[in-house]
């Protein structure tokens, strides 16, 4: 299905948004491939199209032109249900503002994707505890998001993204709201998961702290890919 | 199952917001049941009292009798049919117009003769067994109060016999009874049947014959027309129907309040929880699942309200069903059977139907705003951007 471990292929992709009577082109002529185990950042200034690209890869949005294939499925042709199934089974999301469910405890937030997957209680408990151990939050099982610090919230979000061991994790500005120490902790955790589980991480970021961890850096400007480079000495042997 | 599990978590997690809604809804629940219970209780009591004290299992009317036209009374009497002479199954009543002069005033009344030993109606006719020279009369408390008569008082009664001759005699009040059925009380005096037959020169005659409630058939008899309980309770049934309309308006009003509370909560939830909806979708929920989740959440308000209403309302309703509700003074002058104390009656049917109606309608009302979710752009929703 996917040659050379290619999980994502993007060909001549463009995305337009209606503005007034016309259209604004947020992405233009994007051609990219992502392989298994990548730790890649999409960098660029605000408005360059990073989040749009991430949303399309995450099947939350569809391209206006071109073809985007994620795990062999063409995003533009997926029904709502199939897109939801793809996200549910294979994709993990980490958001800038954490997007934790406020009325759930830490445990329940992390457990949520597993409930959607229909895992039984025993499987869920084991997976949730493993994920929380990974991010070092086993002592906060019953806390609500409002009782946690920003760094802790993002660690819960990472645990939630990783609990189902997805093939791809999409992180939109995951460190933008965190201080340096928390940012490094989060990034180190993600890097560890990437190396141990071979999960593909794709970040949208303009945070220099993140850039230091990236193995591959894709630069966007005005919706176009202007540079796609491997970072030397970062596992690109 | 997933929707129920998540909806339960969301509701419990939402804490005070949930409980405020649930409390309001449970009030509505309770008042709907209470309101219907009062009308049902009144209906039940009044029907029972009327059957026991006035109409029995139905009545045979003389063919000329029309209770709404007192002038028919002159001709509405006849020899009691052989079939209707069993004391165990029938109680004949002779009715005539008369005039009394209590305290110097003139008052038109109905004189009703009834067998003191009758076993069909449950008011105390045995009090009429008396050897006194005067006419022993028994009257209801309303009649006694209106005419300022007490037990032992004498009052002059004037009547016109079968031949059209006026006659008069003193009557002695031997008993005053209390009844919830004003139609055996207001404007009437009860006398022993044979005494009245003698006064009227109508030996062996009656105007109507009340049947035992246990009789299973009512044969057609010449000159006597059988009127069943439904016919005799027609006026009361009409009144209850009218009261029911009022009750349903109240019921609808309370339901409307409950619906507004749920609808409002749902609309507000969908606006306030856009980010959550977006996150749910990003984590792999379909729009259908999100809509189901929100609908079940709304419906669960109804279920929790029913449980809460059962917890605090059950004992309250039970207490009132046992202790009853005192009716305000004056209601017994309305001309219909109303007990001084009404004991609400909450049937299983009433509770189940009310619960189902509230649950089904709150589910529908919960569902309506959630359709908006299907129009949401998930990428905007994730950012909490108002749509």
């Amino acid at each position: 299905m996917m040659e050379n471990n290619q999980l994502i292929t993007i060909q001549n992709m463009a995305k337009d948004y209606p503005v007034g009577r016309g259209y604004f082109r947020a992405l233009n002529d994007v051609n990219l491939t992502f392989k298994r185990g990548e730790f890649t950042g999409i960098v660029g200034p605000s408005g360059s199209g990073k989040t749009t690209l991430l949303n399309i890869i995450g099947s939350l949005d569809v391209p206006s032109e071109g073809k985007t294939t994620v795990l062999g499925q063409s995003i533009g042709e997926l029904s709502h249900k199939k897109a939801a199934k793809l996200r549910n089974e294979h994709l993990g999301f980490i958001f800038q503002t954490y997007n934790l469910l406020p009325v759930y405890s830490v445990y329940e937030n992390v457990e949520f994707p597993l409930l959607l997957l229909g895992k039984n209680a025993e499987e869920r408990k084991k997976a949730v505890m493993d994920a929380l151990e990974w991010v070092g939050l086993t002592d906060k099982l019953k806390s609500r998001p409002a009782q946690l610090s920003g760094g802790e919230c993002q660690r819960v979000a990472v645990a939630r993204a990783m609990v189902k061991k997805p093939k791809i994790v999409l992180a939109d500005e995951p460190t933008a709201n965190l201080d340096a120490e928390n940012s490094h902790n989060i990034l180190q955790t993600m890097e560890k998961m990437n190396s141990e589980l071979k999960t593909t991480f794709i970040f949208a970021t303009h945070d220099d702290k993140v850039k230091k961890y990236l193995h591959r850096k894709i630069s966007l400007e005005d919706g176009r890919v202007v540079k796609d480079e491997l970072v030397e000495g970062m596992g690109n042997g | 199952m997933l929707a129920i599990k998540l909806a339960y978590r969301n509701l419990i997690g939402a804490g005070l917001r949930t409980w405020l809604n649930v409390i309001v809804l449970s009030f509505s629940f309770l008042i709907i049941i209470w309101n219907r219970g009062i009308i049902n209780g009144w209906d039940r009591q009044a029907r029972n009292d009327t059957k026991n004290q006035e109409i029995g299992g139905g009545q045979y009317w003389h063919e000329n009798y029309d209770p709404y036209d007192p002038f028919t009374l002159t001709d509405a009497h006849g020899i009691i049919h052989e079939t209707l002479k069993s004391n165990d199954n029938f109680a004949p009543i002779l009715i005539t117009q008369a005039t009394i002069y209590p305290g110097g005033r003139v008052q038109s009344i109905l004189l009703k003769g009834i067998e003191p030993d009758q076993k069909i109606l449950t008011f105390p006719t045995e009090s009429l067994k008396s050897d006194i020279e005067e006419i022993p009369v028994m009257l209801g408390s309303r009649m006694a109060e209106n005419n300022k008569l007490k037990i032992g008082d004498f009052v002059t009664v004037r009547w016109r016999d079968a031949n059209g001759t006026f006659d008069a005699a003193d009557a002695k009040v031997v008993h005053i009874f209390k009844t919830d059925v004003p139609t055996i009380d207001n404007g009437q005096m009860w006398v022993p049947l044979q005494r009245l037959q003698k006064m009227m020169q109508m030996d062996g005659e009656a105007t109507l014959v009340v049947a035992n409630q246990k009789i299973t058939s009512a044969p057609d008899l010449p000159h006597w027309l059988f009127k069943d309980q439904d016919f005799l309770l027609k006026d009361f049934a009409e009144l209850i129907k009218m009261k029911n309309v009022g009750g349903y308006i109240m019921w609808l009003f309370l339901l409307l309040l409950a619906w507004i509370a749920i609808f409002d909560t749902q609309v507000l939830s969908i606006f306030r929880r856009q980010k959550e909806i977006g996150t749910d979708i990003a984590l792999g929920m379909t729009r259908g699942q999100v809509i189901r989740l929100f609908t079940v959440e709304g419906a669960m308000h109804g279920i929790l309200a029913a449980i809460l209403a059962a917890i605090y309302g059950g004992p309250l309703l039970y207490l009132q069903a046992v202790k009853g509700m005192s009716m305000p003074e004056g209601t017994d002058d309305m001309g219909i059977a109303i007990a001084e104390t009404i004991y609400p009656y909450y049937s299983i049917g009433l509770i189940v139907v009310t619960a189902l109606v509230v649950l089904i309608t709150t589910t529908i009302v919960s569902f309506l705003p959630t359709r908006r979710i299907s129009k949401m752009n998930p990428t905007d929703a994730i950012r909490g951007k108002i749509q």
Side-chain angles (χ1 to χ4, degrees):
Chain A
M1 188 168 62
M2 286 157 287
E3 287 174 20
N4 303 326
N5 281 334
Q6 280 182 8
L7 299 185
I8 302 162
T9 57
I10 300 171
Q11 293 170 319
N12 305 320
M13 192 261 277
K15 176 68 187 175
D16 296 327
Y17 288 111
V19 178
R21 288 184 181 175
Y23 284 92
F24 166 72
R25 180 147 281 200
L27 289 173
N28 195 8
D29 196 25
V30 177
N31 289 282
L32 290 167
T33 58
F34 296 88
K35 290 180 190 164
R36 181 166 179 246
E38 281 196 22
F39 204 74
T40 299
I42 300 165
V43 299
S46 292
S48 58
K50 305 184 295 291
T51 299
T52 304
L53 181 55
L54 226 52
N55 284 340
I56 292 171
I57 294 171
S59 73
L60 289 168
D61 209 345
V62 289
S64 307
E65 287 173 20
K67 189 162 186 180
T68 302
T69 309
V70 177
L71 299 167
Q73 302 194 57
S74 174
I75 296 300
E77 293 160 19
L78 288 179
S79 64
H80 282 304
K81 273 189 183 173
K82 283 189 175 165
K85 193 167 186 283
L86 174 69
R87 290 192 295 271
N88 188 11
E89 291 176 355
H90 302 298
L91 304 181
F93 287 87
I94 299 167
F95 304 99
Q96 178 181 344
T97 51
Y98 329 126
N99 287 45
L100 299 177
L101 301 173
V103 298
Y104 288 4
S105 65
V106 165
Y107 183 93
E108 288 167 339
N109 263 289
V110 179
E111 187 192 25
F112 188 82
L114 301 175
L115 280 171
L116 299 184
L117 279 171
K119 301 275 185 199
N120 66 40
E122 206 176 311
E123 287 174 311
R124 292 201 305 268
K125 191 174 179 186
K126 187 179 179 315
V128 172
M129 293 312 290
D130 284 349
L132 287 173
E133 204 166 314
W134 231 331
V135 297
L137 279 176
T138 45
D139 57 333
K140 303 270 183 183
L141 294 181
K142 289 183 179 170
S143 303
R144 295 276 180 91
Q147 297 166 313
L148 303 177
S149 68
E152 286 171 329
C153 281
Q154 198 59 300
R155 276 150 67 194
V156 177
V158 171
R160 182 178 65 183
M162 290 304 298
V163 71
K164 60 187 175 186
K165 297 194 171 67
K167 290 198 166 79
I168 302 163
V169 171
L170 303 167
D172 190 4
E173 306 279 9
T175 55
N177 286 355
L178 303 180
D179 58 31
E181 191 187 341
N182 274 313
S183 296
H184 288 300
N185 283 340
I186 289 288
L187 287 161
Q188 279 162 8
T189 307
M190 289 197 275
E191 199 178 35
K192 191 177 158 203
M193 288 172 174
N194 168 254
S195 65
E196 288 184 16
L197 301 173
K198 295 291 170 223
T199 307
T200 300
F201 277 80
I202 304 174
F203 297 87
T205 186
H206 58 258
D207 185 348
D208 288 335
K209 296 189 290 287
V210 178
K211 288 176 189 168
K212 286 188 217 162
Y213 286 84
L214 300 175
H215 302 180
R216 179 185 172 195
K217 205 159 65 176
I218 298 165
S219 303
L220 280 184
E221 259 181 46
D222 297 329
R224 288 176 184 274
V225 176
V226 291
K227 203 190 278 182
D228 182 355
E229 57 185 342
L230 296 177
V231 181
E232 272 185 45
M234 294 300 289
N236 297 309
Chain B
M1 198 60 200
L2 177 69
I4 293 172
K5 192 170 195 163
L6 294 178
Y8 177 76
R9 269 190 193 178
N10 287 349
L11 288 186
I12 298 301
L16 188 63
R17 183 159 52 93
T18 298
W19 292 115
L20 281 175
N21 271 315
V22 167
I23 288 167
V24 169
L25 203 57
S26 72
F27 274 137
S28 300
F29 231 122
L30 216 57
I31 295 171
I32 288 169
I33 292 175
W34 176 76
N35 182 264
R36 300 290 317 153
I38 293 280
I39 292 179
N40 285 354
W42 172 26
D43 184 16
R44 230 164 91 101
Q45 269 173 267
R47 277 175 192 273
N48 282 341
D49 290 348
T50 308
K51 282 178 197 169
N52 292 338
Q53 297 179 12
E54 187 183 13
I55 65 170
Q59 293 177 340
Y60 277 97
W61 287 3
H62 185 269
E63 59 188 352
N64 294 331
Y65 177 55
D66 176 358
Y68 298 110
D69 182 1
F71 294 111
T72 61
L73 289 174
T74 319
D75 301 320
H77 53 87
I79 295 292
I80 300 165
H81 194 277
E82 280 303 316
T83 320
L84 307 178
K85 282 185 175 168
S86 152
N87 205 27
D88 287 336
N89 286 327
F90 298 101
I93 293 174
L94 179 64
I95 307 172
T96 187
Q97 276 190 293
T99 308
I100 57 170
Y101 301 88
R105 290 182 295 125
V106 183
Q107 174 83 43
S108 286
I109 61 155
L110 287 178
L111 266 185
K112 288 186 170 179
I114 189 165
E115 186 59 58
D117 288 328
Q118 63 81 28
K119 296 169 186 143
I120 309 302
L121 300 174
T122 58
F123 68 105
T125 50
E126 68 277 6
S127 311
L128 292 171
K129 281 184 195 169
S130 176
D131 295 332
I132 57 172
E133 196 182 326
E134 297 87 5
I135 307 165
V137 295
M138 180 177 81
L139 41 140
S141 53
R142 296 174 187 83
M143 174 73 174
E145 196 182 328
N146 290 343
N147 293 286
K148 297 185 172 54
L149 291 170
K150 303 185 296 294
I151 292 174
D153 282 355
F154 292 91
V155 62
T156 304
V157 182
R158 192 181 71 139
W159 68 94
R160 201 173 172 189
D161 67 19
N163 302 317
T165 309
F166 282 101
D167 204 347
D170 277 344
K172 184 180 179 185
V173 179
V174 293
H175 186 71
I176 293 172
F177 61 90
K178 189 133 184 66
T179 176
D180 296 329
V181 185
T183 43
I184 61 166
D185 180 340
N186 285 333
Q188 45 199 287
M189 279 182 166
W190 294 84
V191 298
L193 177 64
Q194 284 179 357
R195 185 79 180 249
L196 186 60
Q197 286 170 336
K198 202 172 160 192
M199 286 158 60
M200 296 296 295
Q201 298 188 13
M202 293 177 184
D203 281 352
E205 292 190 27
T207 305
L208 58 90
V209 178
V210 183
N212 192 320
Q213 290 189 56
K214 289 175 186 160
I215 63 155
T216 49
S217 65
D220 288 338
L221 302 173
H223 310 298
W224 294 91
L225 306 172
F226 185 74
K227 306 290 178 186
D228 63 14
Q229 286 180 334
D230 289 343
F231 175 86
L232 297 167
L233 287 167
K234 203 169 65 182
D235 289 347
F236 181 72
E238 287 291 323
L239 182 92
I240 285 291
K241 211 165 136 188
M242 216 165 71
K243 286 278 168 201
N244 270 337
V245 172
Y248 281 125
I249 291 171
M250 180 75 171
W251 187 71
L252 200 68
F253 177 73
L254 290 165
L255 262 184
L256 204 67
L257 277 183
W259 292 341
I260 288 170
I262 293 288
F263 189 81
D264 197 41
T265 310
Q266 290 295 94
V267 171
L268 206 71
S269 282
I270 287 158
F271 272 110
R272 282 186 50 188
R273 293 166 65 187
Q274 283 197 88
K275 202 166 167 177
E276 188 183 323
I277 291 168
T279 308
D280 289 344
I281 291 172
L283 293 178
M285 276 184 111
T286 62
R287 284 173 175 168
Q289 279 178 311
V290 180
I291 289 173
R292 264 200 299 282
L293 171 62
F294 273 71
T295 306
V296 172
E297 265 187 46
M300 270 196 176
H301 278 107
I303 294 168
L304 287 177
I307 294 169
L308 186 68
I311 291 169
Y312 75 81
L316 280 178
L317 294 182
Y318 174 77
L319 198 70
Q320 198 172 36
V322 172
K323 296 263 178 197
M325 188 177 88
S326 298
M327 295 303 285
E329 267 187 44
T331 44
D332 62 347
D333 295 331
M334 284 168 66
I336 45 166
I338 303 177
E340 275 183 351
T341 305
I342 286 186
Y343 296 91
Y345 175 67
Y346 312 108
S347 64
I348 298 289
L350 167 69
I351 293 166
V352 171
V353 167
T354 307
L356 283 179
V357 168
V358 172
L359 290 182
I360 291 169
T361 53
T362 47
T363 305
I364 293 168
V365 167
S366 304
F367 167 72
L368 294 176
T370 61
R371 290 177 307 169
R372 201 184 163 88
I373 291 169
S374 60
K375 292 174 189 156
M376 269 185 189
N377 178 349
T379 56
D380 287 340
I382 288 167
R383 282 180 287 169
K385 193 173 162 186
I386 298 291
Q387 295 177 61

